[in-house]
Amino acid sequence: MKKLVNKVAVITGGSSGIGLATAKKFVEEGAFVYITGRKQAELDKAVKEIGTGVIAVQGDISKLEDLDRLFKIIKVEKGSLDIVVANAGYVSMVPTDKVTPENFDKTFDTNARGTFFTVQKAMTILNEGGAIVVVSSCVKDMGLPYYPTYAATKAAERAYVKTWAGDLASRNIRANAVSPGPIETPFVNNQFENKEAAESGKAQFAELVPMKRLGEPEEVASTILFLASNDSSYITGADIPVDGGLTQIK
């Protein structure tokens, strides 16, 4: 039996990687899905890949007017919402002494601010019994020298989830986080200057992981599906690592 029949979901950053894999799984499980992203061409490609049961809305989560437009469209077309997957994010490898105000602001505006207001605005049309899943990162738990701003924003997302789980419990809305390790996605590749650097960097990531490989987007999407469905009906406020044991085995 399908797990998300008659559910309406929104997935930010849904045009590639984890977001796209999640959108595919949701549609397969019976949901109608809205995906967002900054680039219209990538959204169009994603819609073609997913097939039916999906609508793309171009937008940037760091722009509140784009979020307002997104949730207005969902309200007009569907009336309400059942699942929010806050997946969109920004990352760059910059050590503390090289972080500029522009880099700091872009990272926090997208991850910390954008994620917060994505969920805040979704709450107004989120049905009782709904689910919020935030895609955080294992980086927040590791103290890696090249990710001071990114790690801080992902720690903020973890804190949001705990707060939302308590705030929304009276509406039977669950809020949880997923913290991926290194995953084979454009998000990882885009951190590097070129293809050769990306392959070298990913090999180093894989060596750190106890399972000695990068994860696949579908592996994270399966965990998101679990948290969005009634299979996890007694789980809220949790942070589930999907990292091949990277932060779990010392």
Side-chain angles (χ1 to χ4, degrees), residues 164-183:
W164 294 331
D167 283 351
L168 299 172
S170 63
R171 292 173 56 191
N172 196 31
I173 294 172
R174 298 177 298 106
N176 292 289
V178 172
S179 288
I183 308 297

Side-chain angles (χ1 to χ4, degrees), residues 21-219:
T22 302
K24 289 178 179 178
K25 281 191 180 293
F26 278 18
V27 170
E28 288 169 2
E29 293 294 334
F32 189 93
V33 177
Y34 289 84
I35 60 171
T36 74
R38 293 181 297 107
K39 299 177 181 179
Q40 188 64 52
E42 291 187 6
L43 287 169
D44 293 342
K45 182 180 177 181
V47 168
K48 188 175 180 179
E49 281 189 42
I50 296 166
T52 60
V54 60
I55 287 177
V57 180
Q58 190 275 332
D60 183 337
I61 66 165
S62 69
K63 298 178 180 178
L64 299 189
E65 61 270 26
D66 286 0
L67 290 174
D68 287 334
R69 180 168 51 86
L70 168 66
F71 292 111
K72 182 178 180 180
I73 289 170
I74 296 173
K75 183 176 182 180
V76 169
E77 294 183 352
K78 295 295 182 180
S80 61
L81 186 62
D82 301 291
I83 301 163
V84 181
V85 179
N87 169 70
Y90 172 77
V91 63
S92 61
M93 292 193 294
V94 185
T96 296
D97 62 343
K98 297 292 192 298
V99 172
T100 63
E102 292 76 18
N103 172 266
F104 184 97
D105 289 346
K106 183 173 183 178
T107 307
F108 272 81
D109 284 351
T110 302
N111 299 348
R113 186 173 182 266
T115 296
F116 181 90
F117 285 106
T118 294
V119 175
Q120 184 206 62
K121 292 175 183 296
M123 284 179 184
T124 62
I125 60 170
L126 190 58
N127 288 324
E128 184 170 334
I132 298 165
V133 184
V134 174
V135 180
S136 183
S137 171
C138 72
V139 170
K140 72 183 185 307
D141 301 312
M142 298 183 68
L144 298 176
Y146 282 89
Y147 294 103
T149 55
Y150 179 69
T153 62
K154 292 300 173 177
E157 290 177 350
R158 174 66 182 113
Y160 297 159
V161 163
K162 287 187 175 183
T163 303
W164 294 331
D167 283 351
L168 299 172
S170 63
R171 292 173 56 191
N172 196 31
I173 294 172
R174 298 177 298 106
N176 292 289
V178 172
S179 288
I183 308 297
E184 186 63 70
T185 65
F187 193 75
V188 170
N189 291 326
N190 291 341
Q191 297 176 52
F192 300 95
E193 293 180 357
N194 53 53
K195 183 177 179 180
E196 290 73 21
E199 292 304 316
S200 175
K202 289 190 292 184
Q204 293 179 49
F205 288 158
E207 192 59 33
L208 293 173
V209 176
M211 294 180 72
K212 300 303 178 186
R213 67 175 177 86
L214 270 63
E216 296 295 331
E218 293 76 15
E219 293 176 300

